[in-house]
Amino acid sequence: MKPLILKGVRPYGEGDPADVLIRDGVIAAIGSVEDEGADVVEGDGAVLLPGFVDLHTHLREPGREDTETIATGSAAAALGGYTAVFAMANTNPVADNEVVVAHVARRGREVGLVDVHPVGAVTVGLEGVKLAELGTMAKAGVRVFSDDGHCVHDPLIMRRALEYSKALDVVIAQHAEEPRLTVGAQAHEGEQASRLGLQGWPAAAEESIVARDCLLALHAGARLHVCHVSTTGTADVLRWAKDRGTEVSAEVTPHHLLLTDERLATYDPVNKVNPPLRTAADVEVLRRALAEGVIDCVATDHAPHAVQDKDCEWSAARPGMLGLQTALSIVVETMVRTGLLDWRGVARVMSERPAEIAGLPDQGRPIEVGEPANLTLVDPDATWTVRGAEFASIAANTPFEGMELPGAVVATLLRGRVTARGGRIAG
């Protein structure tokens, strides 16, 4: 692989532009660099960040290749600035055994655009009844386990999962939703749902599970990760748990940082998501909790769906939204433009903390000589208009359709190799 020079870039958006020389997949020099044999990417003062890491991606393969594949999802991730993604286990067949997780990992390596890490199911078939083969999947390299899409609602099963996870040094990621409180639920329980005649989804359904699991994790001495935090009360529980030494981390999605349940007034199912869009007050709390570190990171919950699963009546529509190619811009809009995060903060919530949570030694690393060149180059002054049909994903179900958003990925590098550049997949 030829050496590469990133010309005139600003690591973390700080200081004067500098050149970054990359050789053999590693940052070799930073400053004024000359290498006549190197390829050159003109930075023009763009911000250089560690490559993004997504702890929560639905790639749909195997089973729903009509909505997404590991190849198309990897392309969307690279175009969004990601160098590593975690593929959720709710596939068909479910990734609850070594064979399926090995297939996902192998396909990710074959595509080669991002590091694809399979998430193993906590329970067999995501049914919440019997623990899956956590040990054999851990030996196969699985670092995160989740029944996402379903809550591990039985406290005894969750306790056993946490105890095993401590012994295996892995993370249990919980989809926090008490199912007995959300039967038939269609929207956040509140004024908007009442006005629209939609059955309410109480915030307590999320908060009660998070509180229970934080206590279980504390007593087990295990690591718990909370998926897609959406309520004020959950942020309060996380703060309480962390103050008491619980090893708990949490993620928030871009859509929960920007959108509110007022979007439901049109009954457009593109806005249907699990957990549901909450209130403006919740959005404000989530932003501040992310800035303060109470919520650790941003994760997309990228959820592609076929047209027939979204272009239908609200009650029949499947929940979920695309997220990989819009995540950075939503974070810029909600966190950078509001002054809640600077570019080092963006690196923390989109790269460093998720890599640390998942135990990835070569992702989320500092931009320093000798470090792996997993990098994302961002134009902070760019604006672009969202067009779902132009995304790399097979599906087009984005709630941001037609929005003009700030910030654009100029290039993405995986171990020094350009995977995306100028809005296109390299090569």
Side-chain angles (χ1 to χ4, degrees):
M1 185 168 57
K2 291 179 65 175
L4 178 70
I5 296 175
L6 304 179
K7 198 80 173 173
V9 300
R10 293 186 300 134
Y12 305 104
E14 300 169 352
D16 296 327
D19 303 336
V20 176
L21 174 64
I22 297 165
R23 185 181 288 118
D24 297 326
V26 173
I27 298 174
I30 301 175
S32 180
V33 173
E34 296 293 338
D35 191 319
E36 294 183 1
D39 289 333
V40 176
V41 173
E42 294 291 345
D44 298 321
V47 175
L48 186 64
L49 299 173
F52 304 147
V53 176
D54 189 13
L55 291 178
H56 196 144
T57 307
H58 296 276
L59 296 182
R60 303 303 190 206
E61 184 180 344
R64 286 304 305 266
E65 288 87 350
D66 59 317
T67 61
E68 193 76 288
T69 66
I70 291 172
T72 59
S74 293
L79 290 166
Y82 287 89
T83 51
V85 299
F86 282 76
M88 282 294 166
N90 57 340
T91 50
N92 185 18
V94 173
D96 59 4
N97 60 79
E98 184 180 1
V99 174
V100 179
V101 298
H103 166 77
V104 172
R106 182 175 63 253
R107 282 294 298 133
R109 290 191 299 270
E110 290 169 353
V111 173
L113 293 174
V114 296
D115 288 340
V116 176
H117 298 276
V119 173
V122 177
T123 67
V124 174
L126 309 178
E127 295 175 351
V129 176
K130 179 182 178 181
L131 284 178
E133 301 171 8
L134 306 188
T136 57
M137 286 189 283
K139 288 180 180 178
V142 175
R143 309 305 304 156
V144 179
F145 292 85
S146 179
D147 276 4
D148 184 63
H150 301 271
C151 179
V152 183
H153 60 87
D154 186 322
L156 180 58
I157 295 291
M158 188 60 179
R159 179 184 180 186
R160 293 290 180 257
L162 287 165
E163 289 171 344
Y164 276 114
S165 74
K166 179 177 174 58
L168 296 170
D169 191 25
V170 296
V171 180
I172 302 295
Q174 175 70 294
H175 173 113
E177 175 193 346
E178 169 49 68
R180 289 166 293 188
L181 293 177
T182 60
V183 176
Q186 296 291 324
H188 169 68
E189 185 177 84
E191 180 180 339
Q192 190 73 359
S194 297
R195 183 183 299 115
L196 298 173
L198 297 173
Q199 186 163 333
W201 184 307
E206 175 177 306
E207 296 156 4
S208 59
I209 292 294
V210 175
R212 181 203 75 178
D213 289 353
C214 283
L215 289 171
L216 291 175
L218 179 62
H219 286 286
R223 290 187 291 152
L224 169 71
H225 181 73
V226 181
C227 297
H228 38 52
V229 170
S230 70
T231 76
T232 297
T234 298
D236 291 339
V237 171
L238 289 168
R239 191 187 305 274
W240 174 87
K242 289 188 174 190
D243 285 347
R244 281 154 182 78
T246 309
E247 288 192 83
V248 58
S249 57
E251 68 191 37
V252 64
T253 70
H255 48 269
H256 284 113
L257 290 174
L258 181 63
L259 306 178
T260 72
D261 62 348
E262 293 182 4
R263 296 267 304 197
L264 277 55
T266 64
Y267 292 99
D268 187 342
V270 76
N271 297 303
K272 186 176 182 179
V273 68
N274 180 352
L277 299 178
R278 304 291 188 178
T279 68
D282 289 309
V283 167
E284 182 61 28
V285 168
L286 295 177
R287 291 181 184 183
R288 294 196 175 279
L290 180 63
E292 295 168 7
V294 174
I295 296 174
D296 298 78
C297 63
V298 173
T300 68
D301 196 5
H302 176 82
H305 287 301
V307 173
Q308 66 268 23
D309 292 326
K310 277 295 191 179
D311 191 10
C312 56
E313 65 271 21
W314 180 275
S315 61
R318 296 191 65 184
M321 305 167 171
L322 299 183
L324 287 168
Q325 289 182 244
T326 50
L328 169 69
S329 292
I330 301 302
V331 170
V332 172
E333 175 71 20
T334 60
M335 302 299 294
V336 178
R337 284 192 165 185
T338 58
L340 290 170
L341 289 179
D342 58 13
W343 287 107
R344 279 196 179 269
V346 173
R348 172 173 61 83
V349 302
M350 294 191 72
S351 180
E352 295 164 0
R353 275 300 287 146
E356 183 179 9
I357 290 165
L360 301 184
D362 61 343
Q363 298 282 352
R365 300 296 303 165
I367 302 174
E368 297 175 356
V369 172
E371 294 287 354
N374 297 314
L375 301 167
T376 300
L377 193 58
V378 176
D379 183 349
D381 301 319
T383 58
W384 62 288
T385 302
V386 177
R387 303 292 182 206
E390 298 174 0
F391 285 168
S393 292
I394 295 172
N397 53 301
T398 173
F400 310 116
E401 181 72 29
M403 287 188 184
E404 186 175 86
L405 296 178
V409 174
V410 175
T412 307
L413 285 73
L414 180 65
R415 287 181 285 278
R417 178 173 57 87
V418 177
T419 57
R421 183 175 180 181
R424 296 179 180 274
I425 293 298

